[in-house]
Amino acid sequence: MAENDNVASYRQSHHSGDHRRRHRDADLYDYFPDEPQSKSRRRKGTVDRIGSLPNDLLVHILSFLPIEDAIRTEILSKRWHSLWTYVPSLLFCFRRGWPVDFVFFIDKTLLRCNCRKLKKLWINLSFMDYEPSLAYNFNLWTHFAAVNGTEELHLEFDGVPDQLGENDRYVLPQPLFVNSSFRELRFSLCSVVPTGVVCWKSLKKLSIGWVKLSDDVIQKMLMGSPVLEILELYRFYGVNCLHITSASVKKLILEEGWSEMNYSELEISMPNLQSLEILGAFGELDCRLVDVTSLVEVTLDFDSNCVRHLNILRDLLESLVNVKNIKLGTRAIQCLPGLYERCTFDEKHYWTSQKGILKYMMLNLKKVEFSGSISCQPDCILSFVQFLLKNAMMLQKMVIDMRREGRSIHTKVVSQVGQKLLSFPRSSSDAVVMLYG
């Protein structure tokens, strides 16, 4: 197996130009100071069944290992010495040690890579702050990903966003925005500002987080991604509207949006959207659904700790006209009591009063899931459950998970809730209620 031209190109760019850097002549094992480098010892008479497998199958097996472990296999025998260099998935995750050594480790690993086409290149620097002096190395990595036909590229940094200005972040180079091999991209704490055209012809999923965006940048990336199916924005700010008419975008995930002002609104108009997730804390940013007529699956699990947020939760529920599956997470469940506490009537009358507003959702709803503790003011939440069972005529399945972060609830409490559920009338004869405690 010979090295390909892409590796040669990476090596040439790595060692040429004004930015040439001299590294100490060290082995890749220098990155593992605490790991013993013991040699393989085989008992006499034993059969090496793994070693008898063909190279392609061995490389496939190595692709499931962390890259550090895959590299260690080269000490097994001469045959294994370069097998790891053909692994199509390279996953780097900085956990300990010196950041400079880790950067050097990535450089050396990519230099030895012989794979003609990469499936994954994930670089997670979650415990390493970005320094502008390392931009040269990061540019080499993204260039390597681009010329090797990488399908999935993840580039994630760590740091304190309030202390890391937009000008101090790694700026994604423009050539990265023109690539037909990318199918999944994930960027965190990077500056995402394309200066030219965006052309991601094969991109299916785009995730961007810890970043300032704008409506224009979002539209530019969407226009350059004709087959995009999933858009994920997390810990973001600067976006005021998501007006997406693309027929390909089917799923939108929003997690912890921020506002640069005391109050701002994020308007969502996506007539072809089928799945929506709103998660985490949104502070002073309000989400408003304008046109989501194709929406069939929704997950709501965001904080609603004030009257304005409670109104948003109510408005979102009212907007779910054609939704068939809805999941309410722990935070949303804990907010349900607030929907009636500010009314002059009790919770049972409150949900009865909402029958006209939620009637369209009741016509289509097939699955409901409550994920998280319902022990906080259970009467209110159970009244909502009773309301759904009584009015959702197409309901097939309701899942109530009472466990707190995987921890079980007292058996007596679960039994009491179960008895109440059995007493609730159901408009759908097919409705099955599953209770976990």
Side-chain angles (χ1 to χ4, degrees):
M1 291 185 282
E3 291 184 357
N4 57 70
D5 296 336
N6 291 335
V7 176
S9 173
Y10 175 76
R11 286 176 171 172
Q12 183 178 4
S13 63
H14 184 75
H15 293 291
S16 63
D18 297 334
H19 298 283
R20 176 181 297 178
R21 298 187 175 190
R22 297 180 180 179
H23 292 297
R24 56 191 173 91
D25 186 13
D27 192 86
L28 282 171
Y29 288 106
D30 289 345
Y31 179 64
F32 317 118
D34 300 328
E35 296 294 338
Q37 299 180 25
S38 59
K39 293 186 178 180
S40 170
R41 296 180 181 179
R42 187 186 306 168
R43 295 180 180 179
K44 293 182 179 181
T46 60
V47 178
D48 183 9
R49 298 185 183 278
I50 295 180
S52 63
L53 298 174
N55 285 349
D56 290 344
L57 185 54
L58 291 177
V59 170
H60 180 69
I61 294 173
L62 289 178
S63 67
F64 291 96
L65 297 177
I67 186 61
E68 295 93 336
D69 293 336
I71 291 174
R72 291 190 184 98
T73 62
E74 68 178 10
I75 68 173
L76 296 177
S77 69
K78 185 176 180 180
R79 182 193 177 195
W80 286 82
H81 186 69
S82 61
L83 277 180
W84 71 265
T85 66
Y86 295 90
V87 170
S89 298
L90 301 177
L91 281 60
F92 301 93
C93 184
F94 178 73
R95 295 186 179 89
R96 59 184 175 84
W98 293 98
V100 174
D101 288 342
F102 186 71
V103 171
F104 172 72
F105 168 68
I106 296 178
D107 284 347
K108 292 284 288 185
T109 303
L110 297 185
L111 281 171
R112 292 189 58 184
C113 179
N114 291 322
C115 186
R116 295 183 179 275
K117 182 175 175 61
L118 283 180
K119 180 175 178 58
K120 299 178 182 179
L121 177 58
W122 294 3
I123 301 177
N124 189 324
L125 308 177
S126 295
F127 296 94
M128 172 178 159
D129 293 340
Y130 171 71
E131 297 179 6
S133 61
L134 299 176
Y136 171 75
N137 300 83
F138 299 145
N139 286 337
L140 288 177
W141 303 342
T142 56
H143 172 74
F144 180 85
V147 300
N148 280 274
T150 304
E151 294 183 8
E152 298 180 19
L153 174 62
H154 291 197
L155 192 56
E156 301 181 79
F157 297 97
D158 193 18
V160 182
D162 294 338
Q163 299 176 5
L164 191 64
E166 292 296 327
N167 296 330
D168 298 325
R169 306 183 184 206
Y170 174 61
V171 180
L172 298 181
Q174 176 56 33
L176 202 63
F177 291 96
V178 183
N179 189 288
S180 59
S181 64
F182 293 144
R183 295 177 62 86
E184 178 178 320
L185 293 172
R186 184 178 179 87
F187 304 119
S188 176
L189 267 178
C190 298
S191 179
V192 186
V193 184
T195 57
V197 298
V198 176
C199 186
W200 291 326
K201 294 182 179 179
S202 304
L203 191 64
K204 297 285 189 178
K205 181 178 181 179
L206 176 62
S207 301
I208 307 176
W210 292 105
V211 66
K212 178 181 180 180
L213 296 168
S214 68
D215 297 342
D216 292 339
V217 168
I218 291 291
Q219 288 299 326
K220 194 172 188 178
M221 290 190 292
L222 291 174
M223 290 180 63
S225 309
V227 296
L228 185 68
E229 297 178 355
I230 302 174
L231 174 62
E232 179 183 14
L233 303 177
Y234 59 100
R235 297 170 179 84
F236 64 98
Y237 65 103
V239 181
N240 296 314
C241 66
L242 285 173
H243 290 183
I244 303 174
T245 58
S246 171
S248 66
V249 180
K250 302 298 184 184
K251 185 172 184 177
L252 175 65
I253 304 172
L254 302 176
E255 182 176 357
E256 296 198 11
W258 301 331
S259 173
E260 296 179 274
M261 302 174 289
N262 293 331
Y263 166 79
S264 63
E265 189 174 78
L266 175 58
E267 187 176 277
I268 302 174
S269 178
M270 302 175 66
N272 298 301
L273 190 68
Q274 295 182 1
S275 177
L276 173 65
E277 296 183 13
I278 302 180
L279 315 169
F282 277 76
E284 300 301 320
L285 180 66
D286 293 348
C287 295
R288 187 165 68 92
L289 304 182
V290 178
D291 185 358
V292 288
T293 51
S294 298
L295 202 59
V296 295
E297 185 176 271
V298 173
T299 298
L300 300 177
D301 190 14
F302 64 95
D303 293 333
S304 300
N305 51 11
C306 65
V307 177
R308 181 168 52 82
H309 285 168
L310 293 174
N311 291 334
I312 295 171
L313 178 59
R314 184 192 61 214
D315 292 343
L316 287 173
L317 291 174
E318 294 174 4
S319 303
L320 307 180
V321 177
N322 298 314
V323 168
K324 296 180 180 179
N325 302 328
I326 183 170
K327 177 179 179 180
L328 297 178
T330 301
R331 284 172 288 196
I333 290 173
Q334 292 175 346
C335 295
L336 289 178
L339 288 177
Y340 72 84
E341 281 180 351
R342 294 171 175 82
C343 301
T344 57
F345 36 82
D346 61 33
E347 66 271 15
K348 184 181 297 186
H349 292 153
Y350 174 79
W351 290 116
T352 302
S353 71
Q354 303 301 303
K355 183 176 180 179
I357 299 175
L358 301 177
K359 65 178 180 179
Y360 293 108
M361 185 173 72
M362 295 299 100
L363 293 175
N364 299 286
L365 196 62
K366 291 186 177 181
K367 180 181 178 181
V368 182
E369 183 174 351
F370 295 89
S371 177
S373 172
I374 67 169
S375 59
C376 179
Q377 292 183 280
D379 290 340
C380 164
I381 297 167
L382 287 175
S383 70
F384 183 45
V385 170
Q386 183 179 14
F387 170 79
L388 293 175
L389 289 174
K390 184 177 180 180
N391 295 282
M393 296 181 291
M394 302 296 293
L395 188 65
Q396 297 176 355
K397 186 177 183 180
M398 176 179 287
V399 179
I400 303 175
D401 190 346
M402 297 180 61
R403 293 170 292 187
R404 301 177 181 177
E405 299 179 351
R407 297 191 299 270
S408 299
I409 303 298
H410 195 281
T411 305
K412 183 177 180 180
V413 177
V414 178
S415 178
Q416 290 174 348
V417 173
Q419 291 297 322
K420 287 188 177 182
L421 290 175
L422 290 174
S423 66
F424 293 159
R426 308 177 190 185
S427 63
S428 172
S429 58
D430 298 326
V432 175
V433 180
M434 303 178 68
L435 177 65
Y436 297 95

